[in-house]
Amino acid sequence: MNTSAAAGLSPEAVIPLDALDPDAPPDDLAWLDEAVGDARVVAIGESAHYNRESYELRHRLLRHLAERHGFGAYAMESGFTEGWRADAWVRGADEPLGAVMAGGLTSLMGLWTPMRAHLEWMRRHNATAARPLAFYGIDLPGSVASPLPGLDAVLAYLAAADPDFRPDPGLREGVAAFAAPSPFSAPAALAAYTGLAQGARDAVTAALADLTARLTSRRLACVARTGAAAYERALHTLRLTVTLDAVVRALARGDHQGAMNARDAAMADTVDWILAREERIVLAAHNGHLQRGPGVLPGMPPMMPLGLHLADRLGDGYLVIGATSGTGQILNTGPDFYTGTLFTPMEAPEPGSLDALMHAAGHDGPFAVDLRRLSPADAEAVRGAARRRAGVGSFYAEQNALESFDLVVHLSRVTAAEPDQDAIAHASDDVRRAFAAWTGGEG
């Protein structure tokens, strides 16, 4: 074992957090006040999706950054198109919250009670705030599994902005042939796409290109009818839908690296799109998307994550807080996930990993480590812990944490978030069946 990694962190490197409870006093967040500086984007990572502690940490840090530092937007790894529905709700729209959680957030991100608490706080905050706190999704539409939400949003926009346009009905029919209602149906959707004739796949791609040409060439007329904001939203939605088509094409030919690169570059472009409208944003996504260095997944060449793009574009304006974990439950990435085994026990961190180094620091509760202010001995220990739990089964990714993150928050124990039954009741049939299998309820 590497002796520097085995040496462990000194007590001086550990900054204890009194609580993850978003309602807790902010007395233990001075480290965040010192770190934020002039950053326009503060990114908060997670080791895996759907853990209660990750939701609460992001909620707590958002509150502090909004109330103390004037951050005006929360952007998360969820669909851009669908996110406008959640944004409308936190600004006061009259719609059942369960429906918003199921339909305004994607990739199952909205189906948990900590997310309900998060959205409810944003709405309360906006009821009295001088400037509303906006909600954005940054990801591709349809849980990265269906172009239909993006396509439907664009067609609805064109019906108002370009009433003489008659879209080819074959485009929507072609997309519907491989659209998945949720991540639980994604494998079947990809199989359906792979089973399409090449001509049918190419027809969808060509029709999306034609739609893009129509929307861009008619910009002045569209803006005159709807205003610039609605036009720009529709255009970015279409660009993300085109990217999703490219992602599906890449996956069908086995090019997983190309698919991941296209998705993360599009998410980075979406963050740019938001920054053109918001001065400072809090960004929530998986560590693997937010890190500054190349990303590694099992069996794949290194890919270029969202954080690598943002670091290049923003420099010191991008502050990234990674997350490590010790024990508890983690998202199940095995095939039985699709039949309702959503979580699996988390094995103890592997020796020599960043997670093990943090977990051995001797602090039972959550704590932060500022990687930019370590002693030489602590920096050497972190440098020696050159692998990090990737949240994909038992896989550990090679990573230089000092280059990838500014700070790291360690969660000594993580648990499955509590499913929100109201949100699940508004979800698609495949989601309800999977959650019923997990909880033992009726689908």
Side-chain angles (χ1 to χ4, degrees):
M1 182 185 297
N2 185 297
T3 56
S4 60
L9 292 173
S10 70
E12 290 74 23
V14 173
I15 308 170
L17 297 181
D18 295 337
L20 294 175
D21 183 354
D23 291 324
D27 303 344
D28 57 340
L29 297 180
W31 58 273
L32 184 57
D33 297 326
E34 295 171 359
V36 65
D38 296 326
R40 294 196 64 196
V41 175
V42 172
I44 307 168
E46 60 181 358
S47 293
H49 295 320
Y50 321 134
N51 285 121
R52 175 179 64 84
E53 293 76 11
S54 296
Y55 277 108
E56 291 180 342
L57 174 68
R58 294 182 305 209
H59 182 175
R60 186 169 188 229
L61 298 191
L62 169 66
R63 284 197 191 192
H64 190 72
L65 290 168
E67 295 171 348
R68 297 292 182 91
H69 297 277
F71 280 68
Y74 182 69
M76 69 180 295
E77 188 184 339
S78 180
F80 173 83
T81 304
E82 295 87 344
W84 296 103
R85 187 172 174 185
D87 182 66
W89 191 87
V90 300
R91 294 174 186 266
D94 185 16
E95 184 179 7
L97 179 53
V100 173
M101 293 166 67
L105 286 86
T106 66
S107 304
L108 314 179
M109 295 294 185
L111 303 180
W112 314 91
T113 57
M115 194 68 230
R116 172 182 288 271
H118 190 150
L119 294 173
E120 288 175 336
W121 173 80
M122 290 184 70
R123 185 170 169 122
R124 290 195 304 271
H125 172 85
N126 287 344
T128 59
R131 181 171 180 235
L133 183 60
F135 180 96
Y136 293 94
I138 65 165
D139 212 344
L140 306 182
S143 298
V144 199
S146 171
L148 274 183
L151 177 61
D152 286 345
V154 172
L155 293 177
Y157 172 78
L158 284 170
D162 191 5
D164 294 333
F165 177 56
R166 297 293 179 267
D168 179 2
L171 171 57
R172 196 181 189 284
E173 293 170 4
V175 168
F178 61 90
S182 87
F184 292 113
S185 299
L190 181 59
Y193 182 85
T194 304
L196 292 176
Q198 187 65 47
R201 301 184 205 173
D202 293 344
V204 168
T205 301
L208 287 172
D210 288 344
L211 197 61
T212 302
R214 176 80 186 194
L215 187 56
T216 54
S217 66
R218 297 282 296 168
R219 183 183 69 84
L220 293 178
C222 290
V223 168
R225 283 194 174 94
T226 68
Y231 172 82
E232 290 163 2
R233 181 193 300 185
L235 180 60
H236 194 69
T237 295
L238 181 53
R239 287 172 173 162
L240 293 176
T241 306
V242 169
T243 299
L244 179 54
D245 176 64
V247 165
V248 175
R249 289 177 72 92
L251 291 174
R253 62 177 180 266
D255 182 8
H256 294 272
Q257 181 195 37
M260 294 293 290
N261 282 340
R263 178 189 175 195
D264 275 63
M267 288 197 289
D269 290 343
T270 300
V271 174
D272 276 351
W273 192 95
I274 298 168
L275 285 172
R277 293 152 179 83
E278 306 286 349
E279 185 60 31
R280 308 182 86 180
I281 68 174
V282 176
L283 175 62
H286 193 282
N287 286 333
H289 293 299
L290 299 180
Q291 65 188 46
R292 285 194 179 88
V296 179
L297 288 175
M300 282 177 49
M303 50 84 65
M304 292 179 286
L306 158 69
L308 196 60
H309 292 281
L310 295 183
D312 176 66
R313 299 173 190 183
L314 298 173
D316 292 339
Y318 181 58
L319 181 81
V320 56
I321 304 171
T324 54
S325 52
T327 61
Q329 292 179 297
I330 195 170
L331 176 68
N332 178 24
T333 57
D336 52 341
F337 168 83
Y338 297 99
T339 55
T341 305
L342 304 189
F343 291 86
T344 188
M346 179 186 291
E347 298 176 356
E350 287 190 1
S353 67
L354 180 65
D355 299 78
L357 177 71
M358 300 284 283
H359 200 56
H363 189 77
D364 291 336
F367 64 89
V369 173
D370 191 334
L371 301 181
R372 305 163 308 162
R373 301 184 179 184
L374 296 175
S375 69
D378 284 325
E380 187 61 25
V382 172
R383 190 175 293 108
R387 293 177 296 120
R388 175 187 56 77
R389 195 195 301 269
V392 181
S394 59
F395 179 71
Y396 281 71
E398 297 295 320
Q399 183 173 59
N400 184 333
L402 296 175
E403 295 179 355
S404 294
F405 306 114
D406 295 297
L407 301 98
V408 173
V409 171
H410 182 69
L411 303 172
S412 59
R413 180 172 175 78
V414 293
T415 58
E418 179 185 356
D420 190 280
Q421 296 302 328
D422 182 29
I424 292 166
H426 287 88
S428 56
D429 290 344
D430 57 343
V431 169
R432 292 199 300 271
R433 286 194 298 269
F435 272 82
W438 178 46
T439 60
E442 297 182 358

